[in-house]
Amino acid sequence: MAIATTGIAGPDGGSNEKPVGTLWVGLADAAGTEARRYQLMRERQRNKELATQIGLEWLRRRVLGLPLPDETFPRLRAAAGPAR
């Protein structure tokens, strides 16, 4: 089983295609490979912490036979969109 992360943690180094806060997480095991893109914040230290938490959550879920979550931070997405 393997987990990998890559992206642009910030505070600089982003581009239009890969803005600061872009995170890719990948997981591979005997069941297959999955990768997803997340858009985090512009705070380097927080992005590093979140990348670690997401990766460990993916591993935990895979070991327990649970599906990987579609949304890791629904509160962040809801806060960025229109009020419900």
Side-chain angles (χ1 to χ4, degrees):
M1 191 173 287
I3 193 82
T5 63
T6 189
I8 312 294
D12 51 15
S15 67
N16 288 337
E17 293 83 29
K18 293 184 282 184
V20 170
T22 299
L23 169 67
W24 277 92
V25 178
L27 182 135
D29 66 3
T33 302
E34 290 198 50
R36 295 196 188 143
R37 180 179 186 244
Y38 294 91
Q39 189 60 48
L40 304 178
M41 300 166 241
R42 298 186 59 86
E43 301 172 30
R44 181 178 183 80
Q45 186 59 38
R46 184 68 175 136
N47 289 342
K48 290 169 62 175
E49 292 167 0
L50 290 172
T52 302
Q53 290 174 359
I54 292 169
L56 290 173
E57 175 66 5
W58 279 35
L59 284 174
R60 184 187 76 82
R61 286 178 161 275
R62 186 56 64 99
V63 167
L64 293 174
L66 300 171
L68 298 181
D70 289 329
E71 291 188 53
T72 301
F73 305 106
R75 288 182 292 166
L76 291 179
R77 290 203 179 142
R84 297 179 193 222

